[in-house]
Amino acid sequence: MRFLQLFAAVLVFCFTLANSDWIPATATFYGGADGSNTMGGACGYENLYVAGYGINNVALSTALFNDGASCGQCYVIICDTSKSDMCKPGTSITVSATNFCPPNWDLPSDNGGWCNPPRHHFDMSQPAWENIGIYRAGIIPVFYQQVKCWRQGGVRFTINGFNYFELVLVTNIAGSGSIRSMSVKGTNTAWIPMSRNWGANWHCLSELVGQALSFAITSTGGQYLVFQDVVPAWWQFGQTFTTWRQFDY
C-alpha cells in the first residue's frame, strides 16, 4: 500500500510539472519550531500575524528578493521527489515573502551559501517547511511558482516618519502581493510620487501633517487602485489605518 501511495504521488508530481511552469530552487528553514523568530525582517512587516501574513512566510535569496520589490508576493512550493527522499510526497505549501536571506560569501553556493546569487533559494519558516520536507534533511530541492495572494480584509497603511518625511508601510496586499508604484495626495496637494525606501516602506518628502491622505497604488500585477481619504486629517505618526479595498491581481 505504501508503495502504491508513493507511486501515485510521483505520477501526480510528474503530471504537474509537465503541465505547468515550475521553476527549480532549493529550500531551508529558520525561525524555530514555532516560527517565532521569523517575525520582523527586511520587508518591515514586524508582527507577521498583525500585518496579515502569518506563519507561512519565507526569506528570499538575492535573486528573488529584488531589492524589496518582491515583499508580500506569494509562492507555492513543492519538494522535488525525483532528487530527494527527504520530501513529503504529494504535499505543497504557499508562503508569503516577508524577509531577505542574505548571501554568505564565506561559503560556496553549493555548500552553505544557499542564498548567494544567482541561486533561487527559499529560507522558509520551519512550520511552513515541514509541510513539504523531513526535518533532518535541512535542505531540500524544490519547484516553485508565484501565485495569487489571498488576504483577510483590506489593504493597510502605517504612517511613520517625522515632520516633512512620511514613511508609509503598506501591508496585507492580496493579488500579486506587492507594489510597482505608489503616490500620495493630501487635502491641499496634488498627487505626489512616492519612492520605495526599503522593503514594503514607501516615502515622500512633503509637509502632509494635518491633512487627510489618499493613496494611489499600482500593483506589480498591473492593477491600479485609489484609496481615497483613507487616512483622516487627525492622523499621527505610528498609526495604522485599515481599508476595505483589496487587489485582485
Side-chain angles (χ1 to χ4, degrees), residues 58-62 64-65 70 75 97 99-102 115 121-123:
V58 65
L60 302 178
S61 63
T62 301
L64 295 171
F65 190 67
S70 297
Y75 303 87
N99 203 357
F100 173 54
C101 182
C115 291
H121 184 82
F122 296 88
D123 198 17

Side-chain angles (χ1 to χ4, degrees), residues 139-178:
I139 182 171
I140 51 175
V142 299
F143 286 97
Y144 76 93
Q145 286 184 332
Q146 185 180 345
V147 295
K148 179 177 180 177
C149 298
W150 299 90
R151 309 292 185 205
Q152 292 185 346
V155 176
R156 303 167 189 163
F157 299 89
T158 301
I159 316 299
N160 294 306
F162 56 90
N163 296 336
Y164 295 90
F165 175 71
E166 284 78 27
L167 183 68
V168 181
L169 173 66
V170 190
T171 58
N172 201 51
I173 300 175
S176 57
S178 54

Side-chain angles (χ1 to χ4, degrees), residues 43-238:
C43 290
Y45 295 138
E46 297 301 332
N47 187 316
L48 299 179
Y49 292 104
V50 173
Y53 301 98
I55 202 62
N56 290 334
N57 60 75
V58 65
L60 302 178
S61 63
T62 301
L64 295 171
F65 190 67
N66 195 21
D67 292 327
S70 297
C71 284
Q73 292 181 358
C74 297
Y75 303 87
V76 60
I77 302 175
I78 57 176
C79 189
D80 184 355
T81 54
S82 70
K83 293 182 179 179
S84 175
D85 59 0
M86 293 288 104
C87 298
K88 293 181 179 178
T91 62
S92 67
I93 186 67
T94 299
V95 292
S96 298
T98 61
N99 203 357
F100 173 54
C101 182
N104 185 345
W105 301 115
D106 293 329
L107 296 175
S109 296
D110 60 353
N111 187 22
W114 309 123
C115 291
N116 294 353
R119 289 183 64 102
H120 286 207
H121 184 82
F122 296 88
D123 198 17
M124 303 165 63
S125 73
Q126 184 176 331
W129 189 94
E130 288 195 85
N131 281 277
I132 59 173
I134 298 172
Y135 176 82
R136 67 177 182 273
I139 182 171
I140 51 175
V142 299
F143 286 97
Y144 76 93
Q145 286 184 332
Q146 185 180 345
V147 295
K148 179 177 180 177
C149 298
W150 299 90
R151 309 292 185 205
Q152 292 185 346
V155 176
R156 303 167 189 163
F157 299 89
T158 301
I159 316 299
N160 294 306
F162 56 90
N163 296 336
Y164 295 90
F165 175 71
E166 284 78 27
L167 183 68
V168 181
L169 173 66
V170 190
T171 58
N172 201 51
I173 300 175
S176 57
S178 54
I179 296 173
R180 178 190 299 169
S181 62
M182 179 172 172
S183 299
V184 61
K185 182 182 183 303
T187 306
N188 304 317
T189 73
W191 284 104
I192 303 168
M194 303 186 75
S195 301
R196 186 185 305 279
N197 189 281
W198 65 278
N201 288 278
W202 293 70
H203 81 270
C204 71
L205 302 174
S206 300
E207 186 179 8
L208 296 175
V209 175
Q211 300 183 55
L213 304 181
S214 303
F215 297 99
I217 296 177
T218 301
S219 70
T220 51
Q223 185 178 6
Y224 176 79
L225 289 181
V226 174
F227 299 83
Q228 187 71 36
D229 296 328
V230 294
V231 177
W234 47 260
W235 66 269
Q236 296 182 357
F237 291 110

